[in-house]
Amino acid sequence: MTQTPSTPLSATEKAGPLPRQRRTYSIGELARMFEVTTRTIRFYEQEGLLAPERRGQTRIYDEKDRVRLKLTLRGKRLGFSLAEIREVVMMYDAMPDGNRRQLRRLIEILTDKRRNMERQLEDIRLMQLELDDVERRARDVLEGLGD
Amino acid sequence: MTQTPSTPLSATEKAGPLPRQRRTYSIGELARMFEVTTRTIRFYEQEGLLAPERRGQTRIYDEKDRVRLKLTLRGKRLGFSLAEIREVVMMYDAMPDGNRRQLRRLIEILTDKRRNMERQLEDIRLMQLELDDVERRARDVLEGLGD
DNA sequence: GCCGAGGTTGACGTTAACGTAAAGTGCTTG
DNA sequence: CAAGCACTTTACGTTAACGTCAACCTCGGC
């Protein structure tokens, strides 16, 4: 009865009028799709980031799982730990019936992540300048060697 | 043995009117300055990222070292490994007398890093959208609870 | 019936990036 | 001169995020 409408985390999903096919994926498919190993995917499940269904022993992943994996990997590329990612993900899941304190906590976390992003943006900007500089010098030296 | 002429490593040494003084730093100063531990700084040296001078046993860091530490930490925040950072740093140092092959290799690495940055920029953009979305929903639920 | 391709659960191994504790050195301050 | 810092080396410990076996199941095809 507590069937949550199960809307996956998504700001970028085009909710077309198409009858959404209930596509599913095997662990191997997902692995190839995102260029990770199956070990990684199982590990993420063990860490509470995924919860695929089972047909017998075999894991079957649906669209929601796929999106979650995608977001997890994106978070990782941005330097978040699995623990951090899990925190947000779990709070998101618990949101519908979350109490005020939890929700405020979630917003607090999000604000923090956002600050993190801002800093990274600045870091990237500065790093790009450094790279430009180093590359320019390298090219100068190359030229000096008589290209 | 080596009698050093009692220079008290004063931070505010009035040697001249020039603003560009040959300032030096102790390991503790740098640690506080960047909010890392001295262990971290020594570790970076061990990994070939820093090479401070010594007065007896004690490490003395100059402006160049400080900048390098700053860049290292920035690289870390962007998810580069110490090995990667070292690669760039060492090649940069060896640049003046670097041969063509090395220089091309350096430029290749830089191009790679740059691609990395581009991807991170995109990741950040997407992640910000996600965060916006999650936060908006959280606020909606909060409001629904009768704020 | 057997085989290979994929899937499963342990369980132990590995690597990066430090943390932490022990034991010593050197300066300066009461 | 004793105490107290800040610094040093050595060395073992720790954590996250997987990698790497081993030993097993299971299903479609020949």
Side-chain angles (χ1 to χ4, degrees):
Chain A
M1 298 313 180
T2 34
Q3 277 285 64
T4 52
S6 88
T7 315
L9 278 175
S10 113
T12 48
E13 192 168 332
K14 250 299 184 262
L18 299 166
R20 273 233 157 284
Q21 298 189 57
R22 196 128 187 77
R23 247 222 87 170
T24 64
Y25 309 86
S26 75
I27 193 170
E29 279 181 298
L30 281 187
R32 280 190 303 277
M33 187 174 285
F34 291 106
E35 299 186 296
V36 296
T37 68
T38 59
R39 176 70 177 92
T40 298
I41 297 179
R42 288 198 199 93
F43 181 72
Y44 289 174
E45 175 176 351
Q46 180 184 323
E47 293 299 301
L49 286 166
L50 295 171
E53 299 189 0
R54 298 282 184 132
R55 196 189 49 213
Q57 248 197 156
T58 307
R59 294 165 170 84
I60 47 186
Y61 300 85
D62 61 9
E63 208 51 41
K64 182 167 172 293
D65 294 319
R66 195 186 59 82
V67 170
R68 185 169 284 193
L69 177 55
K70 186 178 69 181
L71 293 178
T72 298
L73 293 173
R74 183 181 297 154
K76 278 226 59 191
R77 285 197 301 271
L78 293 178
F80 295 127
S81 72
L82 295 184
E84 291 177 298
I85 296 170
R86 179 183 44 203
E87 194 172 19
V88 173
V89 161
M90 291 183 71
M91 296 199 75
Y92 181 84
D93 281 3
M95 218 173 58
D97 53 330
N99 58 33
R100 227 166 309 236
R101 207 177 47 71
Q102 276 183 324
L103 287 169
R104 292 201 191 286
R105 170 79 181 122
L106 174 57
I107 291 176
E108 195 179 307
I109 293 177
L110 295 177
T111 303
D112 193 65
K113 302 284 178 229
R114 216 181 293 275
R115 247 193 284 282
N116 197 315
M117 308 269 110
E118 294 301 333
R119 172 158 216 187
Q120 289 209 35
L121 277 178
E122 178 67 3
D123 278 341
I124 287 179
R125 209 178 57 73
L126 293 172
M127 184 64 84
Q128 281 178 337
L129 291 180
E130 293 289 343
L131 293 181
D132 288 347
D133 190 48
V134 175
E135 181 160 352
R136 195 175 47 70
R137 289 177 197 233
R139 291 197 184 282
D140 283 358
V141 176
L142 248 184
E143 196 117 346
L145 287 183
D147 185 35
Chain B
M1 263 205 223
T2 39
Q3 274 287 63
T4 51
S6 74
T7 313
L9 190 59
S10 160
T12 47
E13 198 168 328
K14 270 294 187 209
L18 296 167
R20 263 276 156 261
Q21 296 181 57
R22 194 134 185 74
R23 249 220 85 173
T24 65
Y25 309 88
S26 75
I27 193 170
E29 279 181 298
L30 281 188
R32 279 189 303 278
M33 188 173 285
F34 291 106
E35 300 187 294
V36 296
T37 67
T38 59
R39 176 69 178 93
T40 297
I41 296 178
R42 288 197 198 94
F43 181 73
Y44 288 174
E45 176 177 350
Q46 180 183 322
E47 293 300 300
L49 287 166
L50 295 172
E53 299 188 0
R54 298 281 184 133
R55 196 190 50 211
Q57 247 196 158
T58 306
R59 294 165 172 84
I60 47 186
Y61 301 85
D62 61 10
E63 207 52 42
K64 185 166 168 298
D65 295 318
R66 193 185 60 80
V67 170
R68 185 168 286 194
L69 177 54
K70 187 178 67 180
L71 293 179
T72 298
L73 294 173
R74 183 181 298 153
K76 278 225 60 189
R77 284 197 302 270
L78 293 178
F80 294 128
S81 73
L82 295 184
E84 292 178 298
I85 296 170
R86 178 183 45 204
E87 195 172 18
V88 173
V89 160
M90 291 184 71
M91 296 200 76
Y92 181 84
D93 281 4
M95 219 172 57
D97 53 330
N99 58 33
R100 227 167 309 238
R101 207 178 47 71
Q102 275 183 324
L103 287 169
R104 292 202 191 284
R105 169 81 181 120
L106 174 56
I107 291 178
E108 195 179 306
I109 293 177
L110 294 178
T111 303
D112 193 65
K113 302 283 178 227
R114 216 181 293 275
R115 247 193 283 283
N116 197 316
M117 309 268 108
E118 293 302 334
R119 172 158 215 185
Q120 288 209 36
L121 277 178
E122 178 66 2
D123 279 341
I124 288 180
R125 208 179 58 71
L126 293 173
M127 184 64 86
Q128 282 177 336
L129 290 180
E130 294 290 344
L131 293 181
D132 288 346
D133 189 48
V134 175
E135 181 161 349
R136 195 175 47 69
R137 290 178 196 230
R139 291 197 186 283
D140 284 357
V141 176
L142 249 183
E143 196 117 345
L145 288 182
D147 184 26

